[in-house]
Amino acid sequence: RAHPEIRERASRKWKERNRERYLDQKRHNRVRRIYGLSREEYAALIAAGCAICGTTEAKLCIDHDHSTGAVRAALCHPCNSALGLLGEDPDRLRAAIEYLCSHE
């Protein structure tokens, strides 16, 4: 406590030497704080792939209900963006599907 600069320097060195472990812990802390998911729950969501297109290749994000905060599934960025841009409105999604089908 008397020498915070020494502690900060040691912490910075540890983070540099243990970059993957540090980033993994940082990610886990964020997922636990925001979504309340354990490491195992998060790993299961990611392993399942995107709930819409099924990809496991892309970086996946946690989809959640914005009104309740309840976690739904993992989605890839394009699928997550599509839902967001359509306002997560099932009627708009159905209309978009009908539109695409009518122009095949």
Side-chain angles (χ1 to χ4, degrees), residues 5 21-22 29 43-44 46 53 55 70 80 82-83 85-88 96 102:
E5 66 281 355
R21 185 173 168 193
Y22 168 72
N29 289 343
I46 298 304
C53 71
T55 188
N80 190 42
L83 288 181
L85 290 170
L86 290 172
E88 296 187 4
S102 70

Side-chain angles (χ1 to χ4, degrees), residues 47-57 60 76 79:
C50 177
I52 295 175
C53 71
T55 188
T56 56
E57 300 298 313
L60 300 175
C76 67
C79 291

